[in-house]
Amino acid sequence: MRLLIIGTLDGQIGAASQIAMARGAKVRQAEDVPAGLEVLRTQGADLVMIDVKRDIKGLIDSLEAERIIVPVVACGIASDASAAVRAIKAGAKEYIPLPPDAELIAAVIAAVTQESHNIIFKDPRMGQTLKLAEQVANSDASIMITGESGTGKELIARFIHNKSKRSDKRFVAVNCAAIPENLLESELFGHEKGAFTGAVARRIGKFEEAQGGTLLLDEISEMDVRLQSKLLRAIQEKEIDRVGGNQPVKVDVRILATSNRNMEDEVHKGTFREDLYYRLNVVTLALPALRERPLDIAVLADHFVKRYTEANGLPSRPLSAEVRQMLSRHHWRGNVRELENTMHRAVLLASGAEIGSEAIVLSGSPVGTNSDPMVAQAANAAASVMGARGSNMVGKTVAEVERDLIIDTLSHCLGNRTHAANILGISIRTLRNKLKQYNDEGIDVPPPAGGEIERAMI
């Protein structure tokens, strides 16, 4: 990952840089905010650490105005509590006290880069998928990775990059669903100075950042059709046009794309260009759902228990036999992501010598699909609540019922737009437009989850 340090960090810049580099980061330093912005425009970064004495609010405002999406962490002497408060209010994601602590910096870097990219599996079905992925990794062919939400599509993409001849170059991921439509073109292709309001200087996009490496277009089925034509040209001609530019820029990038939708259906519906689909679909990797790889459930559960036990400094507890049966019978609509969340919650709730059924909260299984009586009872309770609420729908317009359903689902998903859209069966773009409408009407909308980017729209 690329780390940009702005300022001197109270003379601790050398120590912070050495810690970051020991964790695999490539470090650049800028004296002040204008110099830091120039680095971000021309070279990009995955994380910014800024001296708390610098103009943090000015940096955050400039990033928003120029549509640069990068997390910012403030650093300052440990005793200055008021500076920490000001930094967070100005928009910094975290505050790191100085002198720097190696474990704290490592934790921040891990949170930003999501360093855990190991693929844990035991089931032969997943083994076959990985074998195919490794077989095609060393080519330059575009690969379409499909599968339900939460199956690990980005992990497979990183696996392919690491096994390819481009592994010494950058892997750049862009979530097409999480970035509003009006920002995505600039995010991908960059822009020239004056291309739009706030474009105060030239900025390179993700294509140029990934030069010589791999570009992952995550949830590409959510990309607007008009932008798809520009992407098609970039793939065919191996060159891009920055927004507002008139000179093409040559690029050498291997394209990987993911989607949780049936892409052929999207082509038939006219929401995805057929010619772009065939350009991307040289090879298809279809990831099996977690319920289709049952031998992996226990292995992954143990892995997540160990991870979150250590992360939270809690005593080690094994899963009880009853819990293992519950996990094996569950439908796992959210796949590995749902299992991970379930295990994280269980680690926090467990109190005995082992993790028992009282610490397991399962979601989403209709009555009858899971034979565990606790799950059936929970599902029946949910059905009763929905029945009670149904009587309150009388007298409401269809729009009001729809609004309540969307807001309640979003609250259930803790603000995660992508998960809510999947549950509701609508596109992330449709959900975003609905939420913008509700905001304009003065209705409270749950804020985005921490890992999602929602700018200017919600």
Side-chain angles (χ1 to χ4, degrees):
M1 62 93 70
R2 299 164 302 162
L3 171 64
L4 170 63
I5 298 178
I6 300 178
T8 61
L9 305 189
D10 278 315
Q12 299 291 332
I13 187 170
S17 297
Q18 289 176 7
I19 293 170
M21 287 188 289
R23 300 290 174 168
K26 295 181 179 179
V27 180
R28 289 190 60 88
Q29 194 265 339
E31 182 60 30
D32 52 26
V33 169
L37 286 169
E38 186 59 27
V39 172
L40 291 171
R41 293 174 190 132
T42 58
Q43 300 175 46
D46 301 304
L47 174 66
V48 174
M49 291 173 60
I50 182 171
D51 193 319
V52 75
K53 295 177 181 177
R54 297 295 193 260
D55 183 9
I56 297 177
K57 187 176 187 307
L59 172 65
I60 299 295
D61 290 345
S62 296
L63 293 178
E64 291 182 352
E66 297 188 40
R67 305 177 181 181
I68 299 175
I69 302 171
V70 61
V72 175
V73 173
C75 302
I77 55 175
S79 59
D80 195 349
S82 60
V85 172
R86 290 196 303 272
I88 298 299
K89 285 185 176 179
K93 297 294 184 184
E94 298 285 350
Y95 180 85
I96 296 179
L98 298 173
D101 176 81
E103 292 306 314
L104 183 55
I105 289 182
V108 171
I109 291 175
V112 171
T113 59
Q114 296 180 334
E115 284 184 335
S116 180
H117 298 144
N118 294 330
I119 298 178
I120 308 298
F121 75 98
K122 183 179 180 181
D123 198 287
R125 178 79 182 272
M126 193 63 184
Q128 292 171 1
T129 302
L130 286 176
K131 182 178 179 180
L132 177 58
E134 187 167 5
Q135 185 177 342
V136 300
N138 213 33
S139 72
D140 276 333
S142 298
I143 297 177
M144 177 68 73
I145 306 170
T146 62
E148 295 179 8
S149 180
T151 49
K153 296 186 289 296
E154 183 171 342
L155 278 180
I156 291 293
R158 290 183 181 274
F159 174 85
I160 293 170
H161 172 73
N162 291 334
K163 293 290 184 179
S164 75
K165 58 189 177 186
R166 296 173 179 263
S167 59
D168 60 333
K169 302 297 183 181
R170 290 207 62 214
F171 176 91
V172 177
V174 182
N175 190 330
C176 301
I179 301 176
E181 180 184 326
N182 62 327
L183 302 184
L184 186 54
E185 182 177 9
S186 173
E187 190 72 11
L188 287 173
F189 303 112
H191 60 251
E192 297 288 352
K193 180 179 180 180
F196 48 80
T197 302
V200 298
R202 171 187 285 178
R203 180 197 164 196
I204 66 169
K206 297 303 184 185
F207 264 90
E208 290 179 82
E209 284 188 30
Q211 181 69 13
T214 303
L215 177 62
L216 170 64
L217 301 176
D218 198 17
E219 300 301 347
I220 195 171
S221 52
E222 302 298 334
M223 182 181 291
D224 184 79
V225 174
R226 291 170 294 180
L227 187 53
Q228 291 173 24
S229 60
K230 188 168 183 177
L231 173 61
L232 177 63
R233 180 181 178 276
I235 296 173
Q236 288 178 331
E237 306 299 329
K238 298 186 182 299
E239 62 182 28
I240 61 163
D241 295 308
R242 299 191 189 104
V243 178
N246 51 26
Q247 292 292 328
V249 179
K250 289 292 183 181
V251 290
D252 173 23
V253 175
R254 201 258 186 97
I255 301 293
L256 306 179
T258 76
S259 178
N260 60 10
R261 297 178 180 271
N262 185 313
M263 293 302 295
E264 292 188 359
D265 287 349
E266 298 300 311
V267 169
H268 292 153
K269 289 189 294 186
T271 58
F272 201 85
R273 291 180 61 118
E274 184 175 23
D275 45 6
L276 176 58
Y277 171 62
Y278 288 119
R279 274 285 175 181
L280 294 170
N281 192 36
V282 177
V283 177
T284 296
L285 284 175
L287 294 195
L290 184 57
R291 60 186 169 275
E292 297 170 346
R293 38 188 280 215
L295 294 181
D296 287 345
I297 294 175
V299 175
L300 286 166
D302 290 335
H303 169 73
F304 292 133
V305 166
K306 183 175 185 296
R307 174 195 291 181
Y308 290 111
T309 296
E310 293 174 352
N312 290 282
L314 296 171
S316 177
R317 295 184 177 95
L319 294 171
S320 70
E322 181 185 6
V323 165
R324 292 185 181 278
Q325 290 181 358
M326 290 173 65
L327 299 181
S328 67
R329 290 196 297 260
H330 188 56
H331 190 62
W332 299 114
R333 288 184 59 192
N335 293 291
V336 179
R337 185 185 294 117
E338 182 187 352
L339 176 60
E340 179 177 4
N341 291 341
T342 300
M343 292 300 97
H344 191 176
R345 185 165 51 239
V347 164
L348 299 177
L349 296 179
S351 57
E354 59 183 7
I355 298 176
S357 58
E358 74 284 350
I360 302 296
V361 181
L362 299 176
S363 61
S365 291
V367 179
T369 62
N370 190 315
S371 58
D372 185 79
M374 292 183 66
V375 176
Q377 182 179 358
N380 283 327
S384 298
V385 171
M386 290 305 295
R389 290 196 59 184
S391 63
N392 295 328
M393 294 180 185
V394 177
K396 288 187 177 182
T397 65
V398 172
E400 289 172 331
V401 173
E402 178 188 65
R403 179 197 64 204
D404 291 347
L405 177 61
I406 288 175
I407 296 297
D408 286 352
T409 302
L410 192 58
S411 297
H412 172 76
C413 295
L414 303 179
N416 191 302
R417 271 64 173 155
T418 304
H419 293 178
N422 288 334
I423 291 173
L424 292 165
I426 60 178
S427 70
I428 190 71
R429 187 179 299 116
T430 299
L431 177 61
R432 192 180 290 125
N433 290 338
K434 290 288 184 182
L435 297 180
K436 184 178 186 299
Q437 173 190 331
Y438 301 155
N439 257 333
D440 293 342
E441 293 172 354
I443 297 168
D444 288 336
V445 172
E452 290 197 319
I453 300 169
E454 295 286 339
R455 292 185 181 267
M457 297 292 288
I458 300 174

